[in-house]
Amino acid sequence: MAGNGLMPMTDRRAAHRSATDTIVYLIVDSVAGPPGRARRKLEVERTDLETIIVSLVDGHFNDPIRIIAFDPNAHWSKDVSRELAEEIQTRCDIEAMPVPEHIQDFVRIHRAALAGDAL
């Protein structure tokens, strides 16, 4: 079917697969506002999961509340807060270091939710 302007099926699948490999992470971060109030700030990162974890541990976010992963091409989303909290705790345990103070609440809250599901 040369010359019909259509992309062969194998090429279309390869193009689609590379497009769906991009996951967007929405990080809800609490930012202190006027006394007695808190504003919420949304940060959108289009990067790999490792970079998100390093950014959280390194303090690039003030007080993360929740992290949602989206794949706009595959039409799905998932709250990955628990998985990230567990991964951060595991890495800190392996390195025999405490969870950094700025994400202790995030890790504690989301790991507690994980323990609550096991009951």
Side-chain angles (χ1 to χ4, degrees), residues 11-78:
D11 291 343
R12 272 188 281 169
R13 273 188 254 149
H16 179 67
R17 187 173 37 243
S18 66
T20 61
D21 289 342
T22 303
I23 295 176
V24 176
Y25 294 93
L26 176 71
I27 301 164
V28 180
D29 195 20
S30 178
V31 179
R37 290 189 177 169
R39 296 179 294 168
R40 291 209 174 148
K41 174 180 154 190
L42 300 179
E43 294 276 347
V44 178
E45 297 281 333
R46 182 176 291 221
T47 188
D48 62 291
L49 192 56
E50 183 64 25
T51 302
I52 294 296
I53 291 170
V54 169
S55 294
L56 287 165
V57 171
D58 286 350
H60 293 230
F61 298 94
N62 186 49
D63 183 15
I65 297 169
R66 183 168 313 281
I67 298 147
I68 310 293
F70 294 91
D71 186 333
N73 296 317
H75 307 289
W76 63 260
S77 64
K78 179 182 179 189

